[in-house]
Amino acid sequence: MSIIEDLKFQYKIGGISNKMIYWNVGFFLLSILFFYQFKFGVFNYPNWLAVSSEPKIVLTRPWTLLTYAFLHYGFLHLFFNMMVLNFSSRLFLTFFTQKQYLGLYLLSAIFAGLCFVLSFYFLHQTSAMVGASAAIMALLVATTTYQPLMEIRLLLIGNVKLWHITAVLVILDLLQIQMDNTGGHIAHLSGAFFGYIYIKLLQNGTDLSKIVDFVLNLFSKKQATPFRKVHVNPRKPMVKRESKIVVKDKSQQQLDEILDKISQSGYDSLNKEEKEFLFKAGK
């Protein structure tokens, strides 16, 4: 199996967190081709992709409140964000569904983007922002709000409470907010706040992720095929024709059923036999 085919296979069987990492890495690779200035060694994202602190620009390009959350200023920016995203995703999906994951990621990115625009407007500053950090912080804080005493084993440190890790990250953002990357730290704290509110509302019976699910369903609805009346001439005898039925290979059919199950419920929903079959098919 080639590298490309292997990546496609891993993307297909992976859950929403795996796909989110693929999307971020994919957009980063594309951005190198189109927006990286090799002469200066920096990215120059246009204001129709990066979220601008100018309210007028955001009003005419509202999609930037989402696109910025899949772009990064450099390899290290991407690398560390994806490390924390992978960590936060595993924790969040331990307790919540993939739909709730997607809803929180997208809604927190929009909320943090709006907070960035409003804060810079009142600070009379102009800038642009990209990065998935705000959405990642939302995932981490959401899980911490739900299970603050969950123990995490860290290399060279040992077991620590989840709220200890989250508290350190939040405090660092608070301490550095006036030093550098003010917009980024504002977005981080906004994402953290949204993650907290998201869980509190969820515990009270309000699932904000249903907003995203509703919007996605609106775009995915297919127009019903109009009814067509078929006229049959009774005088002409019906001629029975042989039809060739293509029977799908049983192995392929089983693989398709397993992949459908993963796309709906995630890899962890598979039983032992299904995982073994998928492992053999991957070879």
Side-chain angles (χ1 to χ4, degrees):
M1 185 180 289
S2 66
I3 296 178
I4 295 178
E5 290 299 321
D6 184 55
L7 290 174
K8 288 181 179 179
F9 182 74
Q10 293 298 326
Y11 176 83
K12 193 172 183 179
I13 68 172
I16 184 63
S17 62
N18 188 38
K19 289 179 172 60
M20 197 64 70
I21 293 175
Y22 269 71
W23 291 341
N24 275 279
V25 174
F27 278 115
F28 178 75
L29 295 177
L30 285 175
S31 65
I32 294 176
L33 296 176
F34 296 103
F35 308 116
Y36 188 72
Q37 296 184 333
F38 290 92
K39 183 178 180 180
F40 303 104
V42 295
F43 282 92
N44 183 24
Y45 289 109
N47 59 16
W48 50 268
L49 281 178
V51 63
S52 172
S53 61
E54 294 291 333
K56 292 181 180 179
I57 296 178
V58 176
L59 287 174
T60 57
R61 297 173 174 85
W63 60 85
T64 57
L65 292 171
L66 278 178
T67 54
Y68 86 92
F70 294 91
L71 303 171
H72 293 83
Y73 276 124
F75 175 76
L76 291 179
H77 187 200
L78 173 74
F79 178 75
F80 287 112
N81 268 356
M82 292 305 98
M83 284 185 60
V84 183
L85 175 60
N86 183 58
F87 172 76
S88 303
S89 299
R90 290 178 178 272
L91 295 177
F92 184 86
L93 291 172
T94 303
F95 307 103
F96 305 101
T97 66
Q98 297 192 62
K99 286 185 177 180
Q100 290 170 328
Y101 176 98
L102 181 62
L104 177 56
Y105 188 100
L106 298 180
L107 291 175
S108 61
I110 295 173
F111 179 79
L114 289 173
C115 290
F116 163 74
V117 174
L118 290 175
S119 60
F120 267 53
Y121 175 78
F122 288 113
L123 291 172
H124 303 289
Q125 297 182 21
T126 302
S127 183
M129 180 178 68
V130 296
S133 306
I136 296 170
M137 281 294 291
L139 291 169
L140 181 60
V141 172
T143 311
T144 306
T145 303
Y146 186 73
Q147 285 290 337
L149 301 180
M150 181 180 182
E151 288 197 345
I152 307 297
R153 187 169 184 83
L154 297 180
L155 186 66
L156 302 178
I157 297 178
N159 292 345
V160 295
K161 298 286 192 301
L162 179 57
W163 77 267
H164 292 160
I165 299 173
T166 305
V168 169
L169 295 176
V170 172
I171 291 172
L172 286 175
D173 277 316
L174 288 170
L175 292 176
Q176 299 178 62
I177 196 169
Q178 292 183 339
M179 297 180 183
D180 61 342
N181 190 23
T182 301
H185 295 303
I186 290 174
H188 296 175
L189 295 171
S190 301
F193 176 73
F194 188 88
Y196 173 80
I197 295 299
Y198 177 88
I199 293 300
K200 289 301 179 182
L201 289 175
L202 188 61
Q203 290 174 330
N204 289 326
T206 303
D207 188 352
L208 293 179
S209 64
K210 289 183 178 179
I211 299 173
V212 174
D213 194 34
F214 174 76
V215 174
L216 293 177
N217 286 334
L218 286 179
F219 285 101
S220 63
K221 280 184 179 179
K222 297 180 180 179
Q223 292 184 352
T225 305
F227 173 78
R228 294 181 181 179
K229 188 175 181 180
V230 179
H231 297 274
V232 180
N233 188 352
R235 295 179 181 178
K236 294 183 180 181
M238 295 181 64
V239 181
K240 187 176 180 181
R241 297 181 181 179
E242 294 183 0
S243 60
K244 295 181 179 180
I245 301 175
V246 180
V247 181
K248 186 181 286 187
D249 181 78
K250 291 184 178 180
S251 300
Q252 183 62 42
Q253 185 176 359
Q254 186 177 357
L255 179 61
D256 291 342
E257 291 175 354
I258 292 175
L259 293 178
D260 289 338
K261 186 175 181 180
I262 292 174
S263 64
Q264 294 176 4
S265 307
Y267 179 78
D268 293 334
S269 65
L270 301 181
N271 56 40
K272 183 179 179 181
E273 290 75 14
E274 289 171 332
K275 290 180 179 179
E276 289 179 355
F277 178 83
L278 190 63
F279 176 75
K280 294 177 181 178
K283 291 184 176 180

